[in-house]
Amino acid sequence: MRPSVVIYAICMGLIIGSFLNVVAYRLPRGESVLFPRSRCPRCGARIRPRDLIPVVSWVWLRGRCRDCGGAISWRYPLVEAMTGGLWGLAAWRYGWSWETALGLVVVSFLIALSAIDLQWQILPDELTYPLAIVVVGARLWMGPEPWWWYLGGAALGAGMLLTLYWLSPLLFGKEGMGLGDVKLMVGLGAFNGLTGTVLTLFAASLAGLVVGLVLQRMDRLGEQHRIPFGPFLAGGALLSWLYGDALMQAYFGLFL
Ligand SMILES: [Zn+2]
């Protein structure tokens, strides 16, 4: 893999990450993601173009608004850095290809969705539906596996979560899963195909369980006593897409 492609992907990812911050902030508030230009949430001052450089501006201004000095959350540079890092990783793994292009779209959706889910405990239809449509369409068109592999992944993943959604009120007396998770899993299942979907669900459940237990132990679960599952599904899906083959080989190598 040529380093120039990876570096280009990282730089583009940082800029897209900046836009994803806008999406994650405005979409749950019902505001337009395109207009107006970014303003300080506290004093309303327009952010100057020179202060819009991803990550760098935040560090340079020490996390404060240039006009009112109000704190600007560390989540903004974190989202930008994660987008840059994951775009670079995708380009590193799949090179200059349609697979990378699809992966970059999925990564971007997942970062916005995760940021929104962590703060609001929702996965908006405005993001989960387009993600599902784009991924299913791309997989039917470009493969590389046959169509039923990807539609099977979508059906299996969404079906498992839908079953949990129905069952958990009966079994545990509370909602364990939102319908947003089910809709998200349609796109993620189609993205990874059948085996990748199994790995996605396994990794997400395992990580969710561990984090849940740790937070419970620290008494940090909050009043709702639930943690959003979207970010875990997102992490599981990306792990599966980037390293699923290697993980599967290592796993089956243990027995064969
Ligand atoms: Zn301000």
Side-chain angles (χ1 to χ4, degrees), residues 39-45 47 64-70 72:
R39 292 167 179 277
C40 166
R42 199 172 128 198
C43 71
I47 317 259
R64 309 214 154 262
C65 166
R66 191 187 280 280
D67 290 281
C68 68
I72 296 170

Coordinates of all heavy atoms in Angstrom, one line a residue, residues 39-45 47 64-70 72, ligand 1:
R39 N -21.2 27.9 14.7 CA -21.2 29.0 15.7 C -20.8 28.4 17.1 O -21.0 27.2 17.3 CB -22.5 29.7 15.9 CG -22.9 30.5 14.7 CD -24.4 30.8 14.8 NE -24.8 31.6 13.6 CZ -24.6 32.9 13.5 NH1 -24.1 33.6 14.5 NH2 -25.0 33.6 12.4
C40 N -20.3 29.2 18.0 CA -20.0 28.8 19.3 C -21.4 28.5 20.0 O -22.2 29.4 20.0 CB -19.2 29.8 20.1 SG -19.2 29.6 21.9
P41 N -21.6 27.3 20.6 CA -22.9 27.0 21.2 C -23.2 27.9 22.4 O -24.3 28.1 22.7 CB -22.8 25.6 21.6 CG -21.4 25.1 21.4 CD -20.6 26.2 20.6
R42 N -22.1 28.5 22.9 CA -22.4 29.4 24.1 C -22.7 30.8 23.8 O -23.7 31.4 24.2 CB -21.2 29.3 25.1 CG -21.5 29.7 26.5 CD -20.4 29.5 27.5 NE -20.2 30.7 28.2 CZ -19.1 30.9 28.9 NH1 -18.1 30.0 28.9 NH2 -18.9 32.0 29.5
C43 N -21.8 31.5 23.0 CA -22.0 32.9 22.7 C -22.5 33.2 21.3 O -22.9 34.3 21.0 CB -20.6 33.7 22.9 SG -19.4 33.3 21.7
G44 N -22.6 32.2 20.5 CA -23.2 32.4 19.2 C -22.3 33.0 18.1 O -22.7 33.2 17.0
A45 N -21.0 33.3 18.5 CA -20.1 33.9 17.6 C -19.7 32.9 16.5 O -19.6 31.7 16.7 CB -18.8 34.3 18.3
I47 N -17.6 30.8 14.0 CA -16.2 30.3 14.1 C -15.4 30.8 12.9 O -15.9 30.6 11.8 CB -16.2 28.8 14.2 CG1 -17.3 28.3 15.1 CG2 -14.8 28.2 14.5 CD1 -16.9 27.9 16.5
R64 N -10.9 26.3 24.1 CA -11.8 27.4 24.5 C -12.3 28.2 23.2 O -11.5 28.3 22.2 CB -11.1 28.3 25.4 CG -10.5 27.6 26.6 CD -10.5 28.5 27.9 NE -10.5 27.6 29.0 CZ -11.6 27.2 29.7 NH1 -12.8 27.7 29.3 NH2 -11.5 26.4 30.7
C65 N -13.4 28.8 23.3 CA -13.9 29.7 22.2 C -13.1 31.0 22.2 O -12.8 31.5 23.2 CB -15.4 30.0 22.5 SG -16.0 31.4 21.5
R66 N -12.7 31.4 21.0 CA -11.9 32.6 20.9 C -12.6 33.9 21.3 O -12.0 34.8 21.8 CB -11.4 32.8 19.4 CG -10.4 33.8 19.2 CD -10.2 34.1 17.7 NE -9.3 33.1 17.1 CZ -8.0 33.0 17.1 NH1 -7.3 33.9 17.8 NH2 -7.3 32.1 16.5
D67 N -13.9 33.8 21.3 CA -14.7 35.0 21.6 C -15.1 35.1 23.1 O -14.9 36.1 23.7 CB -15.9 35.1 20.7 CG -15.6 35.4 19.3 OD1 -15.3 36.6 19.0 OD2 -15.5 34.5 18.5
C68 N -15.7 34.0 23.6 CA -16.2 34.1 25.0 C -15.3 33.3 25.9 O -15.6 33.4 27.1 CB -17.6 33.6 25.0 SG -17.9 31.9 24.7
G69 N -14.4 32.5 25.5 CA -13.6 31.8 26.4 C -14.2 30.6 26.9 O -13.7 29.9 27.8
G70 N -15.5 30.3 26.5 CA -16.2 29.1 27.0 C -15.6 27.8 26.5 O -15.0 27.8 25.5
I72 N -14.9 24.3 25.0 CA -15.4 23.6 23.8 C -15.0 22.1 24.1 O -13.9 21.8 24.3 CB -14.8 24.1 22.5 CG1 -15.3 25.5 22.3 CG2 -15.2 23.2 21.4 CD1 -14.5 26.2 21.1
Ligands
ZN1 ZN -18.1 31.6 22.4

